[in-house]
Amino acid sequence: MGKLWTFGDSFTLGAGLAQETGYEFVWYGLQFKDYVYPNILAHHYGLSLGNYGASGEGNQTIINTTVRNLPNINSQDVVIIGLSCSQRMNIPTKDGGNFVSSGDILDKIIKAKKSVEGVHPWSKQLVDTYTDEELQIIYDYYLTQYPRFSDLAYSEYIMTAQALQHSLLQRGVKCLVFDRSIWDNFENITEWTKGLGDQKVEDGHWSPNGHLAVAEVLKRAMKDVSVDNLILVNNDHVKFELERDPELLALQPVYPTLPVTPFSEYPITLI
């Protein structure tokens, strides 16, 4: 059996639906965990799944993780690389790793170090590497200099991801890349639960319907992608596909109610 490899951030992980930590407050728990696009596509193609999405992941780490797994990817496999936003910065740490952060996270860490409570354990990798003064320098750089080059850096990440795509396609491996610009095209959890009063969940990650729609767009692109036709699934691509086929996303909706319809009973289209 071949394998679907998915690399990305929280949107690929399925945050809000399939993430097991940090969402304990959600009333529906993990009951919709199968309704995330990696699982939907693995089911559709009859593949096993290796989902390497991680919350808060940055583009450098997403690409590095993809590259490290290249020796294990075979011609019967399928690969999807989902890029994150440009605001996340990789900060090297003394253990040889990277701490992915944005300005608000850095600000919280700096303030927490000065508080009675202290920093949260998840930031230990960073605070063990840098002094208070050094963290402030990094934060100032993020606020004043990083924005000057983040768009250029993002373009570089897209080109690198598409170079990986081209290389995999040459090996006979189907591969797609999507970028952050598609996030707002699909229903999120806040929109999905908006009519539920106290049970409304404020979360910008994709709802089950959002993931199903993303899967439809990716399935269509997977049919068309080739060595001679690299496809970047971005905002323009989504708009083009909807203009070409307005019924593309006319899917049976999944409602935020319990019990959940088992995913095995959902009518998946065979594009």
Side-chain angles (χ1 to χ4, degrees):
M1 176 185 288
K3 180 176 180 178
L4 172 63
W5 301 75
T6 56
F7 304 96
D9 62 5
S10 53
F11 283 83
T12 293
L13 171 65
L17 301 176
Q19 184 171 339
E20 296 185 5
T21 58
Y23 281 83
E24 292 81 1
F25 66 90
V26 178
W27 58 267
Y28 51 78
L30 296 174
Q31 298 195 59
F32 291 93
K33 64 183 176 63
D34 290 335
Y35 286 91
V36 297
Y37 87 80
N39 184 70
I40 295 165
L41 292 177
H43 176 80
H44 173 73
Y45 292 121
L47 302 172
S48 64
L49 175 62
N51 186 352
Y52 295 86
S55 284
E57 203 63 279
N59 292 311
Q60 181 178 327
T61 309
I62 292 169
I63 289 172
N64 289 349
T65 304
T66 306
V67 170
R68 283 196 295 270
N69 282 281
L70 287 178
N72 303 316
I73 296 173
N74 300 308
S75 59
Q76 69 269 31
D77 296 344
V78 175
V79 176
I80 297 175
I81 304 169
L83 294 177
S84 186
C85 58
S86 61
Q87 286 77 28
R88 292 174 180 165
M89 181 173 69
N90 281 60
I91 305 171
T93 54
K94 66 180 182 181
D95 60 0
N98 283 282
F99 186 92
V100 182
S101 186
S102 57
D104 58 332
I105 298 298
L106 285 170
D107 185 44
K108 288 178 182 177
I109 292 172
I110 291 169
K111 289 178 179 176
K113 286 196 71 177
K114 299 175 182 178
S115 69
V116 176
E117 293 81 8
V119 297
H120 195 277
W122 58 260
S123 63
K124 188 175 187 299
Q125 182 185 18
L126 189 67
V127 299
D128 285 352
T129 301
Y130 298 98
T131 65
D132 291 0
E133 182 181 1
E134 289 168 337
L135 283 175
Q136 188 63 52
I137 291 171
I138 295 170
Y139 181 49
D140 291 342
Y141 167 79
Y142 181 89
L143 293 178
T144 61
Q145 302 303 316
Y146 186 74
R148 295 173 56 196
F149 309 107
S150 59
D151 288 344
L152 290 173
Y154 197 69
S155 297
E156 185 70 22
Y157 288 131
I158 289 175
M159 288 189 290
T160 302
Q162 290 211 273
L164 287 170
Q165 179 187 35
H166 187 262
S167 177
L168 286 165
L169 288 166
Q170 285 183 317
R171 291 168 47 188
V173 179
K174 283 287 190 177
C175 177
L176 285 176
V177 178
F178 70 81
D179 74 8
R180 178 262 177 270
S181 69
I182 74 167
W183 289 357
D184 296 335
N185 284 283
F186 306 102
E187 183 186 76
N188 62 41
I189 292 170
T190 300
E191 296 164 339
W192 182 54
T193 60
K194 66 182 179 182
L196 299 184
D198 292 342
Q199 289 189 315
K200 179 181 178 181
V201 178
E202 296 288 347
D203 192 327
H205 293 101
W206 293 323
S207 71
N209 297 316
H211 278 278
L212 286 162
V214 170
E216 289 299 309
V217 170
L218 294 174
K219 283 156 58 178
R220 176 66 61 85
M222 197 68 77
K223 283 188 63 178
D224 296 336
V225 70
S226 69
V227 173
D228 299 318
N229 183 36
L230 297 184
I231 294 177
L232 171 65
V233 179
N234 58 14
N235 184 55
D236 291 338
H237 177 85
V238 173
K239 288 181 177 179
F240 171 79
E241 287 295 345
L242 289 176
E243 289 173 0
R244 184 167 71 159
D245 181 5
E247 298 300 312
L248 177 63
L249 302 184
L251 307 172
Q252 178 175 313
V254 176
Y255 297 103
T257 56
L258 301 178
V260 178
T261 300
F263 177 72
S264 59
E265 298 178 12
Y266 185 86
I268 298 295
T269 57
L270 299 176
I271 292 179

